[in-house]
Amino acid sequence: ENRSVPILALKEVRSYSINDKPVVKKYNYYNAMLHKTGHGFIGFESVVTRNYIDDKLVNKQLQEYKLEPMDKHCIPLLTSDKLFYGENQLIKEHYYEYKKYLCKQNEKVIIPLLLQDREAVYDVDKNNVVLKNVVTVNTYESDLDDGKYNKIVQLKMTRKGYDDIKSIDPEKCQYLEEINMLYENDVVNWVINRPKKIVKSVIDKENAAVGNVHLIEYNSDNPMQVAKE
């Protein structure tokens, strides 16, 4: 259903550089999203930001939001973020994928967690030529079944693939970085998500690997203060 609803939104921010040239950021919004049975206005489907210096367009940013990742919970999430040189030359883009975790103790508590971030950086001098491709995939663990949690859900592993061609699988990239997290949780005193050990490794296509192990100890009097690394 399409409706016309007045909404107050930032249109322009103007400042001046040290040489007194105007630096202007202009905003355009498209397709406001309204929840008709309680939440009201929940955001826009897309937001375009243009940056000008001395009345000349420098770059444009396009951010797009979707409701589908959160389904019936009606929370718009950023799914793509693109940066253009001038008006149309794409120089950087991100695509995001999420997974929602539901709290068993309170069904109104929902956490969207980032599963995948696909980043591509393009050559400014050559259209559509990829300079860098980074694929980040996160793995989480909770104290309940997959997609639900009771008290704890935390990042278990991050895998990053680096290459100069587009890919959606870190395993197929030229370099693979893996970070594994081991936590020391004290649920009784609500001291959680404290990393005890962080293991980091980088592997190339020849399976040559380098890495390090980061061990962390905490202050017994202040459990969130690092005592020793």
Side-chain angles (χ1 to χ4, degrees):
E1 181 181 352
N2 294 323
R3 295 184 179 182
S4 295
V5 179
I7 295 173
L8 184 65
L10 181 63
K11 181 180 179 180
E12 181 179 306
V13 176
R14 180 179 293 266
S15 60
Y16 291 88
S17 64
I18 57 174
N19 55 7
D20 210 31
K21 291 185 177 180
V23 179
V24 180
K25 186 184 293 287
K26 294 183 179 181
Y27 299 87
N28 292 97
Y29 307 89
Y30 300 90
N31 299 331
M33 295 179 283
L34 297 172
H35 189 266
K36 297 190 293 183
T37 56
H39 296 303
F41 171 67
I42 55 176
F44 296 94
E45 286 188 350
S46 61
V47 179
V48 175
T49 306
R50 290 178 174 86
N51 292 292
Y52 299 83
I53 297 178
D54 198 20
D55 296 326
K56 295 180 180 179
L57 178 62
V58 178
N59 57 49
K60 180 183 77 173
Q61 183 182 21
L62 169 61
Q63 295 178 308
E64 295 179 307
Y65 298 81
K66 291 184 179 179
L67 295 170
E68 286 81 0
M70 297 300 285
D71 194 24
K72 64 181 180 180
H73 297 101
C74 295
I75 301 173
L77 297 178
L78 179 65
T79 55
S80 70
D81 190 351
K82 298 178 181 180
L83 182 65
F84 299 84
Y85 177 69
E87 181 66 24
N88 296 314
Q89 185 180 349
L90 182 63
I91 57 174
K92 188 175 183 180
E93 61 183 349
H94 283 268
Y95 289 95
Y96 305 103
E97 294 181 13
Y98 303 86
K99 181 174 182 177
K100 63 180 178 182
Y101 278 80
L102 307 177
C103 180
K104 186 176 180 181
Q105 294 187 350
N106 186 347
E107 62 180 12
K108 294 183 179 180
V109 178
I110 309 102
I111 304 176
L113 296 176
L114 182 64
L115 272 187
Q116 187 176 101
D117 173 10
R118 303 192 304 273
E119 176 191 4
V121 178
Y122 297 89
D123 193 330
V124 177
D125 299 319
K126 300 176 183 178
N127 283 338
N128 299 318
V129 175
V130 177
L131 291 178
K132 181 179 72 172
N133 182 79
V134 183
V135 184
T136 303
V137 177
N138 295 320
T139 302
Y140 301 89
E141 64 178 359
S142 69
D143 52 5
L144 288 180
D145 296 332
D146 193 37
K148 297 180 181 179
Y149 73 99
N150 188 34
K151 293 181 181 293
I152 299 173
V153 56
Q154 55 199 12
L155 179 63
K156 180 182 180 181
M157 180 174 64
T158 296
R159 295 168 72 85
K160 284 188 174 184
Y162 299 86
D163 214 325
D164 57 0
I165 59 174
K166 275 195 172 183
S167 175
I168 60 173
D169 184 356
E171 298 281 352
K172 296 180 180 179
C173 292
Q174 186 173 359
Y175 296 96
L176 174 65
E177 177 184 274
E178 182 174 295
I179 302 174
N180 287 277
M181 313 279 282
L182 179 64
Y183 296 89
E184 187 176 47
N185 294 315
D186 181 0
V187 178
V188 174
N189 295 305
W190 203 240
V191 179
I192 62 174
N193 287 342
R194 284 191 318 180
K196 180 181 180 180
K197 182 167 73 171
I198 303 172
V199 181
K200 181 178 179 180
S201 60
V202 180
I203 306 169
D204 64 18
K205 280 196 172 182
E206 305 299 325
N207 288 322
V210 295
N212 60 71
V213 178
H214 186 191
L215 302 176
I216 305 171
E217 296 180 11
Y218 296 89
N219 190 322
S220 57
D221 296 325
N222 185 350
M224 296 307 294
Q225 183 181 61
V226 176
K228 184 179 180 181
E229 294 186 65

